[in-house]
CSV table of all heavy atoms in Angstrom, one decimal:
chain,number,residue,atom,x,y,z
U,96,SER,N,21.7,11.2,12.4
U,96,SER,CA,22.6,12.4,12.2
U,96,SER,C,22.1,13.2,10.9
U,96,SER,O,21.5,12.6,10.0
U,96,SER,CB,24.1,12.0,12.1
U,96,SER,OG,24.2,11.0,11.1
U,114,ILE,N,1.2,15.4,11.0
U,114,ILE,CA,1.1,14.0,10.6
U,114,ILE,C,0.1,13.9,9.4
U,114,ILE,O,-1.1,14.2,9.5
U,114,ILE,CB,0.5,13.1,11.8
U,114,ILE,CG1,1.4,13.2,13.0
U,114,ILE,CG2,0.3,11.7,11.3
U,114,ILE,CD1,0.9,12.4,14.2
U,125,GLU,N,2.7,0.3,3.3
U,125,GLU,CA,1.5,-0.1,2.6
U,125,GLU,C,1.6,0.3,1.1
U,125,GLU,O,0.8,-0.2,0.3
U,125,GLU,CB,0.3,0.6,3.2
U,125,GLU,CG,0.0,0.0,4.6
U,125,GLU,CD,-1.1,0.8,5.3
U,125,GLU,OE1,-1.5,1.9,4.9
U,125,GLU,OE2,-1.6,0.2,6.3
U,131,TYR,N,13.7,0.9,6.2
U,131,TYR,CA,13.8,1.1,7.7
U,131,TYR,C,15.2,1.2,8.1
U,131,TYR,O,16.1,0.6,7.5
U,131,TYR,CB,13.0,0.0,8.4
U,131,TYR,CG,11.6,-0.1,8.1
U,131,TYR,CD1,11.1,-1.0,7.1
U,131,TYR,CD2,10.6,0.7,8.7
U,131,TYR,CE1,9.8,-1.1,6.7
U,131,TYR,CE2,9.3,0.7,8.3
U,131,TYR,CZ,8.9,-0.3,7.4
U,131,TYR,OH,7.5,-0.3,7.0
U,137,HIS,N,6.6,15.3,6.7
U,137,HIS,CA,6.9,16.2,5.6
U,137,HIS,C,6.0,17.5,5.7
U,137,HIS,O,5.7,18.1,4.7
U,137,HIS,CB,6.8,15.6,4.2
U,137,HIS,CG,5.5,14.9,3.8
U,137,HIS,ND1,5.5,13.9,2.9
U,137,HIS,CD2,4.3,15.2,4.2
U,137,HIS,CE1,4.2,13.6,2.7
U,137,HIS,NE2,3.5,14.4,3.5
U,141,GLY,N,9.8,25.4,11.7
U,141,GLY,CA,10.6,25.8,12.8
U,141,GLY,C,11.3,27.1,12.6
U,141,GLY,O,10.9,27.9,11.8
U,156,GLY,N,16.9,33.0,12.6
U,156,GLY,CA,15.7,33.5,13.3
U,156,GLY,C,14.4,33.5,12.5
U,156,GLY,O,13.3,33.7,13.0
U,168,CYS,N,16.2,17.0,-10.0
U,168,CYS,CA,17.4,17.0,-11.0
U,168,CYS,C,17.8,18.4,-11.4
U,168,CYS,O,18.9,18.6,-11.7
U,168,CYS,CB,17.1,16.1,-12.2
U,168,CYS,SG,16.0,16.9,-13.4
U,190,GLY,N,12.6,8.8,3.7
U,190,GLY,CA,12.6,7.5,3.0
U,190,GLY,C,13.1,7.4,1.6
U,190,GLY,O,12.8,6.5,0.9
U,196,GLY,N,23.8,9.8,-1.5
U,196,GLY,CA,23.6,8.3,-1.3
U,196,GLY,C,23.0,8.0,0.1
U,196,GLY,O,22.7,6.8,0.3
U,233,GLY,N,-2.2,21.7,2.2
U,233,GLY,CA,-2.5,23.0,1.6
U,233,GLY,C,-2.2,23.1,0.1
U,233,GLY,O,-3.0,23.4,-0.7
U,234,ILE,N,-0.9,22.7,-0.2
U,234,ILE,CA,-0.5,22.8,-1.6
U,234,ILE,C,-1.1,21.7,-2.4
U,234,ILE,O,-1.4,22.0,-3.6
U,234,ILE,CB,1.1,22.7,-1.7
U,234,ILE,CG1,1.5,23.0,-3.1
U,234,ILE,CG2,1.6,21.4,-1.2
U,234,ILE,CD1,1.2,24.4,-3.6
U,247,LYS,N,-12.1,31.5,-10.3
U,247,LYS,CA,-12.9,32.6,-10.8
U,247,LYS,C,-14.2,32.8,-10.0
U,247,LYS,O,-15.0,31.9,-9.9
U,247,LYS,CB,-13.3,32.4,-12.3
U,247,LYS,CG,-12.1,32.2,-13.2
U,247,LYS,CD,-12.5,32.1,-14.6
U,247,LYS,CE,-11.3,31.8,-15.5
U,247,LYS,NZ,-10.8,30.4,-15.3
U,274,LYS,N,-18.2,29.5,-5.2
U,274,LYS,CA,-19.3,28.8,-4.5
U,274,LYS,C,-18.8,27.4,-4.3
U,274,LYS,O,-18.3,26.7,-5.2
U,274,LYS,CB,-20.6,28.8,-5.3
U,274,LYS,CG,-21.7,28.0,-4.6
U,274,LYS,CD,-22.9,28.0,-5.5
U,274,LYS,CE,-24.0,27.1,-4.9
U,274,LYS,NZ,-25.2,26.9,-5.8
U,279,SER,N,-20.2,14.5,0.7
U,279,SER,CA,-19.7,13.6,1.7
U,279,SER,C,-20.7,12.4,1.9
U,279,SER,O,-21.9,12.6,1.6
U,279,SER,CB,-19.6,14.3,3.1
U,279,SER,OG,-19.3,13.4,4.1
U,288,ALA,N,-19.5,21.6,7.9
U,288,ALA,CA,-19.1,22.1,6.5
U,288,ALA,C,-19.7,23.5,6.3
U,288,ALA,O,-18.9,24.4,5.8
U,288,ALA,CB,-19.6,21.1,5.4
U,300,SER,N,-23.6,12.1,-0.7
U,300,SER,CA,-23.4,11.4,-1.9
U,300,SER,C,-24.2,10.1,-2.0
U,300,SER,O,-24.4,9.5,-3.0
U,300,SER,CB,-21.9,11.1,-2.1
U,300,SER,OG,-21.4,10.4,-1.0
U,337,GLY,N,-16.7,20.2,-17.6
U,337,GLY,CA,-16.3,20.2,-16.2
U,337,GLY,C,-15.1,19.3,-16.0
U,337,GLY,O,-14.8,18.4,-16.8
U,339,LEU,N,-13.1,16.8,-13.1
U,339,LEU,CA,-13.0,16.1,-11.8
U,339,LEU,C,-11.5,15.8,-11.5
U,339,LEU,O,-10.9,15.1,-12.3
U,339,LEU,CB,-13.8,14.8,-11.9
U,339,LEU,CG,-13.6,13.8,-10.7
U,339,LEU,CD1,-14.0,14.4,-9.4
U,339,LEU,CD2,-14.4,12.5,-11.0
U,344,ALA,N,-5.4,9.3,-2.9
U,344,ALA,CA,-4.6,8.2,-3.5
U,344,ALA,C,-5.2,6.8,-3.0
U,344,ALA,O,-4.6,6.2,-2.1
U,344,ALA,CB,-3.1,8.3,-3.1
U,360,ARG,N,-17.9,16.4,-22.9
U,360,ARG,CA,-16.5,16.7,-23.0
U,360,ARG,C,-15.9,17.0,-21.6
U,360,ARG,O,-15.3,18.0,-21.3
U,360,ARG,CB,-16.3,17.8,-23.9
U,360,ARG,CG,-14.8,17.9,-24.3
U,360,ARG,CD,-14.6,18.7,-25.6
U,360,ARG,NE,-15.1,20.1,-25.6
U,360,ARG,CZ,-15.0,20.9,-26.6
U,360,ARG,NH1,-14.6,20.5,-27.8
U,360,ARG,NH2,-15.4,22.2,-26.4
U,371,MET,N,8.0,24.4,-5.8
U,371,MET,CA,8.4,25.2,-4.7
U,371,MET,C,7.9,26.7,-4.9
U,371,MET,O,7.5,27.3,-3.9
U,371,MET,CB,9.9,25.2,-4.5
U,371,MET,CG,10.4,23.8,-4.1
U,371,MET,SD,9.5,23.1,-2.7
U,371,MET,CE,9.6,24.4,-1.4
U,380,PHE,N,-0.5,33.4,0.3
U,380,PHE,CA,-1.9,33.5,0.2
U,380,PHE,C,-2.6,33.2,1.5
U,380,PHE,O,-3.5,33.9,1.9
U,380,PHE,CB,-2.4,32.6,-1.0
U,380,PHE,CG,-3.9,32.8,-1.3
U,380,PHE,CD1,-4.3,33.7,-2.2
U,380,PHE,CD2,-4.8,32.0,-0.7
U,380,PHE,CE1,-5.7,33.8,-2.5
U,380,PHE,CE2,-6.2,32.1,-1.0
U,380,PHE,CZ,-6.6,33.0,-1.9
U,381,ALA,N,-2.2,32.1,2.1
U,381,ALA,CA,-2.8,31.6,3.4
U,381,ALA,C,-2.5,32.7,4.5
U,381,ALA,O,-3.4,33.0,5.3
U,381,ALA,CB,-2.1,30.3,3.8
Side-chain angles (χ1 to χ4, degrees):
S96 54
I114 298 180
E125 290 175 348
Y131 300 95
H137 60 204
C168 79
I234 188 60
K247 301 181 186 70
K274 179 184 176 184
S279 173
S300 56
L339 169 61
R360 196 158 60 183
M371 294 313 304
F380 184 89

